[in-house]
Amino acid sequence: MDLGGRGVMLAALAFALALWLGAMGAQGQLQVGYYSHSCPRAEDIVREEIEKALKDDEGVGADLLRMLFHDCFVRGCDGSIFLDSTKTSKAEKDAKINLELEGFEIIDAVKKKLEAACKGVVSCADLLAFAARDAIVHYGGIHYKVPSGRKDGRISLASDTDILPSPDSKLAKLTDLFISKGLNQHDLVVLSGAHTVGIAHCDAFENRLDPQDPTLDSKYARSLRKQCPAKSNNTVSMDPHTPHKFDNHYYRLVLRNRGLFTSDHTLLSSPSTASQVNRLASNYKSFQLEFAASIVKMSAIGVLTGHPGEVRTNCRRVN
């Protein structure tokens, strides 16, 4: 018997178990209806304000969803993405990968309403989890219950965003990242379905156009070239057919080699993930239910529920 190999295997299993227990523990610290007594209308206030905002700018809901991803994968779901930079520290929101995010002023407006109703009660981290859910519902996704009770972090560093995946990321790197956060490859495929809404700037995928990436459908590539002339800062819809509908059309595009990013097409690079893409492409209900389960799981990454955190009165700065 290879005792060295066995030791490595046991260590890997122990690490995976620790991650799983950590994720389960974080979810256990949160609870549905956390504000039912301290701020009974909290979720209603968030929903009403998000609906107002999306009537003015329907596309910004995708930014709120992306904001949740970027917050949770950096330091955990602690609202650190909202903190402004200071004279001595560059914050997450000012990192290159977050510069195109919109919707921070919407968060400010919702927070102002929450503070007026229940001063110092609802955290910015919970606000974002509710807002992302309400954006999904606005786009036609199912309503799911959001466990809450997160506290807000006090640290936000642009350098920490280096962990976030780029549009060029391949399956192995993406899988490793998700596992490091207590998620798995199934969550990766399901949560990638968020690309069914929103837009992308041309520079995020221009390397697939010149020279043309052979894994990109040629007709689609020609269409993208017309929308993205050289050195333009134009934007295109992630899903050009139903850009404001939270459906499973994204997976159908991936199967047709029309996933916009390399990180989309890479889901076809293994039999396991390709099988999941095929299944989700043909089952709208499964996508909706599995996405809800995975985003609730993701929203529990690294949450603060006690003394290390606080409830900010202004999401842009610590108390």
Side-chain angles (χ1 to χ4, degrees), residues 224-239:
L224 291 173
R225 281 198 191 94
K226 291 179 181 179
Q227 298 176 75
C228 297
K231 298 182 180 180
S232 74
N233 195 35
N234 294 350
T235 60
V236 301
S237 294
M238 297 290 293
D239 178 352

Side-chain angles (χ1 to χ4, degrees), residues 216-230:
L216 185 65
D217 177 78
S218 57
K219 185 176 180 180
Y220 185 43
R222 288 195 296 272
S223 173
L224 291 173
R225 281 198 191 94
K226 291 179 181 179
Q227 298 176 75
C228 297

Side-chain angles (χ1 to χ4, degrees), residues 103-177:
F104 291 106
E105 71 289 345
I106 294 172
I107 297 299
D108 294 338
V110 179
K111 181 60 172 172
K112 186 174 181 180
K113 290 278 187 178
L114 289 170
E115 286 297 301
C118 316
K119 186 172 180 60
V121 174
V122 182
S123 69
C124 301
D126 278 343
L127 189 172
L128 180 56
F130 295 146
R133 185 266 314 277
D134 295 334
I136 290 171
V137 172
H138 174 86
Y139 290 137
I142 63 170
H143 184 280
Y144 57 89
K145 294 180 179 179
V146 176
S148 49
R150 300 166 188 79
K151 293 296 188 290
D152 297 321
R154 298 184 176 93
I155 299 171
S156 183
L157 299 172
S159 57
D160 287 342
T161 65
D162 291 345
I163 193 175
L164 293 172
S166 74
D168 297 328
S169 295
K170 297 294 183 67
L171 184 61
K173 182 177 181 179
L174 291 168
T175 300
D176 287 346
L177 172 60

Side-chain angles (χ1 to χ4, degrees), residues 50-71:
I50 294 301
E51 273 300 310
K52 289 179 186 176
L54 295 188
K55 283 181 180 178
D56 292 336
D57 181 0
E58 192 167 30
V60 78
D63 288 272
L64 296 175
L65 184 53
R66 186 180 176 206
M67 208 179 280
L68 179 64
F69 280 81
H70 285 204
D71 185 49

